[in-house]
Amino acid sequence: MKTFYVTTPIYYANSSPHLGSLYTTIVADSLRRFKRQLGFETYLLTGTDEHGINIQRIAERAGVTPKEFTDSIVREYKRMFAMFGLDTEHGGYDIFMRTTEPFHYAGVSELWRRVARAQTPAGREAIYKGHYEGWFCASCAAYKTEDEYLKPEREGDAPLCQEHLKPLDRVSEESYFFRLSDYAETLLALYETRPDFIRPEARRNEVVSFVRGGLQDLSVSRQKSSVSWAIPVPDDPSQSIYVWFDALTNYITAIGFGNEERERGVGFEKFWPGLHLVGKDILRFHTVYWPAFLIAAGVELPLGVFAHGMWLDPTGRRMSKTLGNTINLDTLHRYFNNDVVRYFCLREMVFGQDGKFGYEAVVERANSDLASGLGNLSSRTLTMIGRYCDGLVPSGEIAEERRLAAKRAGIDAEAQALASALEHARDSFVQQFADFAFSRALETTWSVIARVDKLISDAKPWELAKDESQREILGAVLYRAAETLRWLAVLLHPVMPEATQSLWRQLGQTTDLTHLDPAQLQWGGLQPETRIGEVQPLFPRLDKAKIMSEIKQATESSGTRATEADAVPGSTFAGEIQPEESPMRGATEADAVPQQQQQGATTATAQGQRLEGLVTQIGIEDFTKVELRVGEVLTAERVPKSDKLLRFTVDLGEAEPRQILAGIAEHYEPEKLVGHKIVVVANLKPRKLRGFESQGMVLAASVSDEGRPVLATFTEDVPNGARLK
Ligand code: MSP
């Protein structure tokens, strides 16, 4: 049997589950249900990443052992996954992997030994002992080079991590190094020969240019005296294995690499290579370090790595607990059923790009696409079959002599056109889904719903039912709608397993939907005379005003400020220990999470100093409030009746381009700006100018006496959405 192995990242066990962990697990779960229908034997891994100095410190502060601490986080994760129907019991993940499992220790040691025995392509030993001198961010679990940290305000202080704004740890100690610098050519050849290894393409290009820029050797151990909560280096217990070497290896130890028990139970041989789904912020670890380790160890490489974008809040800001704009998973679950959340995740975010997540948007999608769309089609069709056909699926046939009458009633005598449209939609759906284009696949399906909705409103079965001579036509209309619903149940099953099972039962179907390959669908598969099941609404209509006011109230009473972004505070940790930070990281690898602000850290930098004499000095915490991003001008035109204003649509690497107005019409020809990369203040409150909402601001220098604007731009190509810091 063909196999399919898909993994989510293993989530840091340093704080409660977050939207990112729910999201990737939902995507992986849908993908595996899809592959299961296609006849693959599937295996899904999710879990927690439990070692490292960060967790060691949090546990110390809380006065518990690191394992006690991570056990409590794991309980939270398992509770969350069960609540959203993603655990094994609901047909979800096959393993909740923990890096504290003894079998994982065995596998990591085995991989280390293999790498340590290996020679690089240049014929040198892949691991060597050296001395590491530099800076390390405990929260990123990564070493930082000069261009990745902020210089301290006071000489002698530690620099700050650009992402967490926390002081870095000075590391000056013996360490094993992995000779990554010898693998650049091999990696570039890999990206070249397997263009699908990194997806989407924009991410692949980023990695290629990073590797082309040259690779430095990587410190892959720490002294045990500095980091004790880790897997020891084989044969050298004075050293601890670097947490990313440990964490990445989970993907193979979970299925049996380096340990017989798992090999017998699951099967490395059987399931590897697997597909990794990750957020774009951890791309480098998965597409540079991980393949290099595997190449060195002589282990087959993964099938590929797909990097998805980040969920931002409704105003396009990154989510963080400090900003108070995270999504509380308990709240999400309280107000929305699991299939609504799954549908929203897959429909709203174009996989690979950033998307916006807000409770209001979930209500809107739930009402428009699900309650009024799929749900309404299903309930009206089935209710009419109950009422007009005694609950038995009618025949779809129209006798020769009634064809003219059918035409008059506005329906084709043959179901051929609808059947072909369905086949076409099915083929597109399957192809798009397999290609990670989930949002497009769903759009395709909804075009079928619109078509059948129209068929019903045109044919008006409730009118046909009044006239006995129209019975056959009435039957044909209802048959077509019901047969379409049968196809939709099969196609949408991976996305909405609960609702489609219910629809399946309501259509009187008894076969196993979980293993039904869409390729087997044939028009006419719904047998006339089938007794339909009890009609139940698939998606209740949600009361937006009520839900939003309840969420707001809950937010306020919990004492956290509500933001414009309909936000509620981050989920609370079940135990009494409050982890110090949320892993709800920002939109890009480089995003700053101003966590430290609350703790009163010193944050001013060179930027502040350079401004001296011009304006009042600000600290870095003020600067990080301004979100500057790279935007590409997609369209530009003059605003009617205004001499000054240009109206742009600008791609900021988000799900949809933004509309931005700028008062530069006297100095720039709009057509000439299309395709240019500009700088946008991305978190400016939207405001209306001449009837158009401007969703950001364009940056320009103001030169000469009359303040002529000169747009800020770049000297080399930069990805859309990249943050300026
Ligand atoms: N422990 C590492 C992964 C090791 S894998 C061998 C880690 N953990 S994490 O908990 O910080 O992040 C896990 C995943 O959540 C990442 O893929 C990250 O991109 C994702 N997300 C965190 N915040 C997110 C959003 N706001 N939106 C979407 N996904 C985000 O990194």
Side-chain angles (χ1 to χ4, degrees):
M1 198 182 206
K2 6 177 220 182
T3 60
F4 175 71
Y5 175 36
V6 61
T7 67
T8 73
I10 45 168
Y11 307 107
Y12 279 132
N14 65 346
S15 76
S16 316
H18 47 91
L19 180 62
S21 46
L22 174 66
Y23 173 63
T24 322
T25 311
I26 285 179
V27 175
D29 183 271
S30 305
L31 204 53
R32 88 82 144 271
R33 286 178 200 262
F34 171 73
K35 290 283 187 174
R36 191 190 266 156
Q37 280 186 313
L38 298 190
F40 286 80
E41 185 176 348
T42 58
Y43 198 79
L44 193 166
L45 171 147
T46 193
T48 39
D49 180 358
E50 303 188 24
H51 290 124
I53 186 68
N54 202 22
I55 289 172
Q56 183 184 321
R57 284 181 185 156
I58 294 172
E60 259 164 33
R61 270 201 299 275
V64 293
T65 66
K67 181 66 168 37
E68 280 166 346
F69 179 77
T70 60
D71 281 350
S72 67
I73 296 287
V74 166
R75 276 196 295 278
E76 268 282 89
Y77 264 97
K78 289 189 169 168
R79 180 183 75 84
M80 184 273 284
F81 284 140
M83 180 166 100
F84 282 97
L86 293 160
D87 59 344
T88 313
E89 222 169 278
H90 293 84
Y93 59 70
D94 296 286
I95 183 171
F96 186 98
M97 180 61 188
R98 300 187 58 179
T99 53
T100 42
E101 295 282 1
F103 68 77
H104 176 68
Y105 276 54
V108 171
S109 304
E110 173 62 21
L111 190 77
W112 179 283
R113 286 204 165 92
R114 288 205 199 176
V115 177
R117 280 200 302 267
Q119 295 218 320
T120 70
R124 303 191 281 181
E125 75 259 285
I127 285 188
Y128 63 93
K129 202 158 188 183
H131 187 89
Y132 184 82
E133 185 80 47
W135 297 102
F136 183 82
C137 172
S139 301
C140 300
Y143 298 94
K144 298 285 168 174
T145 53
E146 210 170 328
D147 56 348
E148 291 170 325
Y149 58 66
L150 300 170
K151 298 218 169 59
E153 188 186 351
R154 275 204 320 251
E155 213 176 305
D157 282 355
L160 304 178
C161 166
Q162 275 184 358
E163 187 169 339
H164 296 93
L165 294 187
K166 288 185 186 174
L168 300 177
D169 295 338
R170 183 71 190 167
V171 179
S172 171
E173 58 189 37
E174 270 207 321
S175 157
Y176 287 98
F177 282 82
F178 175 69
R179 208 181 291 278
L180 187 62
S181 55
D182 273 5
Y183 287 86
E185 290 307 315
T186 317
L187 288 169
L188 288 170
L190 162 70
Y191 310 143
E192 182 73 28
T193 50
R194 290 175 52 185
D196 276 356
F197 183 73
I198 306 171
R199 301 186 62 184
E201 207 189 335
R203 300 278 100 82
R204 174 180 174 272
N205 297 342
E206 265 170 41
V207 175
V208 169
S209 63
F210 171 72
V211 175
R212 278 211 188 113
L215 295 174
Q216 293 189 349
D217 291 350
L218 181 71
S219 165
V220 282
S221 73
R222 292 287 304 271
Q223 252 169 231
K224 186 173 161 71
S225 51
S226 326
V227 183
S228 58
W229 178 235
I231 302 180
V233 167
D235 310 318
D236 186 354
S238 72
Q239 291 275 325
S240 298
I241 294 181
Y242 175 41
V243 63
W244 272 99
F245 187 99
D246 156 3
L248 289 161
T249 308
N250 97 89
Y251 298 135
I252 54 177
T253 59
I255 53 173
F257 176 87
N259 60 90
E260 273 175 20
E261 173 209 332
R262 302 288 305 168
E263 176 58 40
R264 271 196 307 275
V266 187
F268 175 74
E269 289 302 321
K270 181 171 169 186
F271 283 105
W272 190 250
L275 169 77
H276 302 314
L277 302 180
V278 300
K280 66 182 181 185
D281 54 333
I282 52 174
L283 186 64
R284 196 176 294 174
F285 299 100
H286 283 82
T287 56
V288 180
Y289 302 171
W290 178 225
F293 297 153
L294 291 175
I295 291 168
V299 177
E300 197 180 340
L301 295 179
L303 214 53
V305 178
F306 196 108
H308 63 72
M310 295 287 144
W311 284 111
L312 308 173
D313 79 6
T315 60
R317 296 176 307 172
R318 69 195 159 69
M319 292 183 174
S320 83
K321 283 190 182 168
T322 315
L323 290 176
N325 61 353
T326 55
I327 292 291
N328 181 307
L329 299 185
D330 282 306
T331 306
L332 191 66
H333 184 257
R334 189 168 324 123
Y335 290 103
F336 306 102
N337 83 35
N338 292 342
D339 283 352
V340 168
V341 175
R342 292 170 72 101
Y343 174 79
F344 182 85
C345 283
L346 292 186
R347 177 67 182 82
E348 193 74 15
M349 188 188 265
V350 173
F351 201 54
Q353 295 177 24
D354 292 344
K356 290 180 186 163
F357 203 113
Y359 298 108
E360 195 164 346
V362 183
V363 177
E364 280 163 9
R365 277 244 176 255
N367 281 344
S368 65
D369 299 10
L370 298 177
S372 307
L374 178 63
N376 186 44
L377 178 63
S378 144
S379 62
R380 74 205 290 216
T381 303
L382 291 160
T383 306
M384 287 192 282
I385 291 180
R387 190 172 301 153
Y388 307 137
C389 313
D390 297 329
L392 298 176
V393 171
S395 149
E397 300 298 321
I398 301 178
E400 200 59 46
E401 62 273 22
R402 303 242 189 282
R403 299 206 156 188
L404 203 62
K407 213 171 183 123
R408 256 189 251 123
I411 85 159
D412 287 342
E414 300 279 352
Q416 194 49 47
L418 177 59
S420 309
L422 265 182
E423 273 166 23
H424 182 71
R426 181 258 321 266
D427 296 346
S428 307
F429 179 93
V430 170
Q431 204 205 329
Q432 287 159 345
F433 212 89
D435 213 25
F436 307 100
F438 308 119
S439 183
R440 221 161 347 118
L442 290 169
E443 244 179 287
T444 304
T445 322
W446 256 254
S447 67
V448 173
I449 295 179
R451 184 180 178 126
V452 177
D453 265 339
K454 181 165 182 325
L455 169 74
I456 294 178
S457 348
D458 288 352
K460 300 188 184 58
W462 48 94
E463 298 286 336
L464 298 172
K466 293 182 191 150
D467 181 351
E468 194 49 35
S469 72
Q470 303 276 42
R471 272 215 80 74
E472 234 176 47
I473 301 169
L474 169 69
V477 172
L478 294 180
Y479 182 86
R480 286 173 202 186
E483 173 64 344
T484 302
L485 284 167
R486 189 179 72 91
W487 283 53
L488 291 176
V490 176
L491 292 182
L492 296 174
H493 179 66
V495 180
M496 295 182 284
E498 290 168 20
T500 49
Q501 286 283 12
S502 162
L503 176 57
W504 200 241
R505 280 192 303 275
Q506 295 184 48
L507 287 164
Q509 303 302 297
T510 49
T511 48
D512 180 10
L513 184 54
T514 57
H515 285 81
L516 215 158
D517 185 346
Q520 288 167 11
L521 285 170
Q522 277 187 352
W523 180 262
L526 180 63
Q527 295 308 312
E529 300 291 307
T530 303
R531 175 156 297 284
I532 61 166
E534 189 190 334
V535 183
Q536 284 163 346
L538 294 182
F539 304 101
R541 238 196 126 65
L542 302 175
D543 182 339
K544 184 158 111 185
K546 182 164 174 279
I547 290 182
M548 293 312 296
S549 107
E550 281 180 23
I551 291 180
K552 191 156 176 269
Q553 231 167 31
T555 308
E556 276 159 11
S557 65
S558 78
T560 312
R561 86 198 133 94
T563 70
E564 312 151 38
D566 76 8
V568 297
S571 44
T572 48
F573 176 53
E576 63 289 351
I577 312 158
Q578 276 299 330
E580 65 172 344
E581 71 166 63
S582 151
M584 290 303 300
R585 294 212 288 260
T588 69
E589 205 168 30
D591 254 356
V593 178
Q595 200 79 30
Q596 195 76 10
Q597 291 164 22
Q598 290 190 328
Q599 295 154 18
T602 48
T603 45
T605 67
Q607 282 102 327
Q609 287 146 23
R610 244 176 274 130
L611 288 172
E612 204 175 353
L614 286 176
V615 292
T616 320
Q617 288 199 334
I618 58 166
I620 186 71
E621 70 279 10
D622 285 318
F623 177 70
T624 51
K625 284 185 197 149
V626 183
E627 200 181 303
L628 299 175
R629 291 198 182 274
V630 177
E632 181 181 339
V633 178
L634 302 179
T635 63
E637 59 187 39
R638 291 179 187 281
V639 170
K641 297 194 200 119
S642 164
D643 298 336
K644 293 217 166 72
L645 283 180
L646 289 186
R647 181 161 76 98
F648 297 105
T649 46
V650 183
D651 180 359
L652 287 185
E654 300 166 339
E656 281 172 17
R658 295 204 196 181
Q659 170 172 282
I660 297 177
L661 284 97
I664 56 172
E666 292 164 311
H667 304 275
Y668 281 95
E669 288 301 318
E671 308 71 42
K672 296 214 176 114
L673 291 173
V674 173
H676 276 268
K677 301 264 173 153
I678 56 171
V679 180
V680 171
V681 183
N683 61 341
L684 200 66
K685 240 193 224 152
R687 68 185 192 123
K688 277 213 164 154
L689 295 167
R690 298 260 167 174
F692 293 103
E693 186 180 81
S694 184
Q695 300 156 332
M697 189 173 99
V698 167
L699 279 199
S702 173
V703 298
S704 66
D705 284 349
E706 75 272 24
R708 180 169 65 86
V710 177
L711 282 177
T713 184
F714 298 91
T715 49
E716 61 185 272
D717 195 25
V718 274
N720 297 348
R723 181 140 188 205
L724 280 85
K725 298 185 298 184

